Amino acid sequence: MTAMGQSPSRGGLRGREAEVERLRALVDSVARTGSAALALIRGEAGIGKTVLLDDCAGHAGAAGFSVGLGEADELHHLVPLSSLTACLTHQDRPLLSDEAFADLSRGHDHRIWLVQHLAEQIEALAARTPVLIGLDDVQRADPLSRFVLTQLPARVRTSPVLWLLTRRSGPSGEADEICAAASRALPAVDVRLGPLSSSAIEQLADDVLGTGVDEQVRDLLEGAGGNPFLAVELLTGLRSTNSSGEPVPTGLVAGVRGRLSALSPGTLHLLRIGPCWGAGSGSRTPSR
């Protein structure tokens, strides 16, 4: 997370200053008005959704919010409501106790009852302090959590609750339904993350390498397609090579490909330049 007072361009947020300010303004609005809001951050894998979510949560926490963050997982489909449980109970200071949530989850066969009682619990919490509830990768949430999320934001619209969701790019789905349902009752912000600019990628390179970026590094970074995660993976490999004198690890490109299998074809251009980089690493290693 980015500390209060630190430039939002630091901590993996290069090139995201406008989005950072937009989300921080939403946090401040919820605190000021005492009314709910929702933000959906969307983009391809590695584009910076989680980093932006963490920055917003850090800003909210510093502003006095009670914060609950969770990450949806495909295994959550085995247990109804487990994605929302990750947000509300899996914290150092959970928003709801395990016991309170267990009592509620027993009513998962009665969805409307469950929504109503969860709303009452969240409203009681928000009466004491503003609340931020964030769920990363909402497209992987279990069906019951998704249903509840289409209902809850509107139910607590008169309480200071900020719902913060991230979604990987792809066909319209449940995340869009959640956002659409919320937008009928409360402010709903759609934050779409595109590729970083060349100047932002060069700033990332300066952050990681601690030196100016030469033409060879620029050529390599073009293969990242403006994806900050992929760019940092490349730069970290370069830094390791320069500090150890050893070739860039041969598993780097394969590892990145595995983690970012949903990237656009343009971004996956890296896979074509990776072998050339490795083959020439003994004589073409960029200097620091």
Side-chain angles (χ1 to χ4, degrees):
M1 295 181 188
T2 301
M4 293 296 292
Q6 181 180 351
S7 169
S9 66
R10 295 293 182 181
L13 290 165
R14 289 291 190 186
R16 300 299 186 204
E17 290 83 1
E19 291 86 353
V20 166
E21 294 306 319
R22 188 180 183 190
L23 289 171
R24 290 185 177 187
L26 193 62
V27 170
D28 298 340
S29 175
V30 168
R32 184 179 66 255
T33 65
S35 299
L38 180 143
L40 175 62
I41 306 169
R42 67 174 83 209
E44 68 179 21
I47 204 67
K49 302 183 297 296
T50 302
V51 176
L52 201 56
L53 182 152
D54 286 344
D55 176 83
C56 186
H59 179 71
F65 279 61
S66 294
V67 176
L69 294 180
E71 179 181 1
D73 188 280
E74 292 175 356
L75 292 177
H76 287 173
H77 287 245
L78 300 175
V79 181
L81 209 62
S82 53
S83 299
L84 196 54
T85 302
C87 301
L88 299 177
T89 66
H90 293 178
Q91 315 292 324
D92 293 335
R93 299 174 62 186
L95 299 183
L96 297 179
S97 68
D98 289 335
E99 295 78 9
F101 204 87
D103 289 339
L104 289 169
S105 62
R106 292 190 187 101
H108 66 81
D109 290 332
H110 305 282
R111 294 184 169 194
I112 301 304
W113 178 93
L114 176 60
V115 169
Q116 181 59 38
H117 285 265
L118 267 173
E120 292 172 358
Q121 294 271 5
I122 293 170
E123 285 172 336
L125 178 61
R128 300 189 296 271
T129 177
V131 175
L132 184 147
I133 299 173
L135 181 60
D136 205 5
D137 282 333
V138 68
Q139 79 280 352
R140 299 192 297 187
D142 66 275
L144 183 56
S145 291
R146 293 198 305 261
F147 171 80
V148 171
L149 285 169
T150 63
Q151 306 294 317
L152 263 181
R155 291 292 186 98
V156 300
R157 61 186 178 277
T158 59
S159 295
V161 181
L162 176 57
W163 303 87
L164 190 58
L165 312 174
T166 77
R167 171 188 184 266
R168 185 172 295 188
S169 296
S172 298
E174 294 81 357
D176 299 281
E177 293 176 8
I178 293 168
C179 192
S183 66
R184 293 191 284 269
L186 59 146
V189 174
D190 193 348
V191 179
R192 298 171 184 261
L193 299 183
L196 291 180
S197 66
S198 297
S199 61
I201 291 291
E202 287 195 18
Q203 289 175 328
L204 273 178
D206 286 340
D207 292 342
V208 175
L209 298 180
T211 185
V213 181
D214 63 24
E215 287 300 320
Q216 184 177 356
V217 174
R218 289 192 186 96
D219 289 342
L220 289 171
L221 289 175
E222 284 183 6
N227 185 287
F229 169 78
L230 196 53
V232 169
E233 289 288 303
L234 279 166
L235 292 164
T236 301
L238 285 170
R239 183 175 62 186
S240 174
T241 300
N242 292 336
S243 63
S244 67
E246 296 296 324
V248 175
T250 58
L252 174 63
V253 173
V256 171
R257 178 174 54 190
R259 294 177 66 179
L260 300 178
S261 58
L263 284 174
S264 65
T267 301
L268 291 176
H269 171 68
L270 172 67
L271 298 180
R272 295 196 296 272
I273 67 169
C276 298
W277 176 23
S281 59
S283 59
R284 292 168 54 88
T285 299
S287 63
R288 293 190 62 173

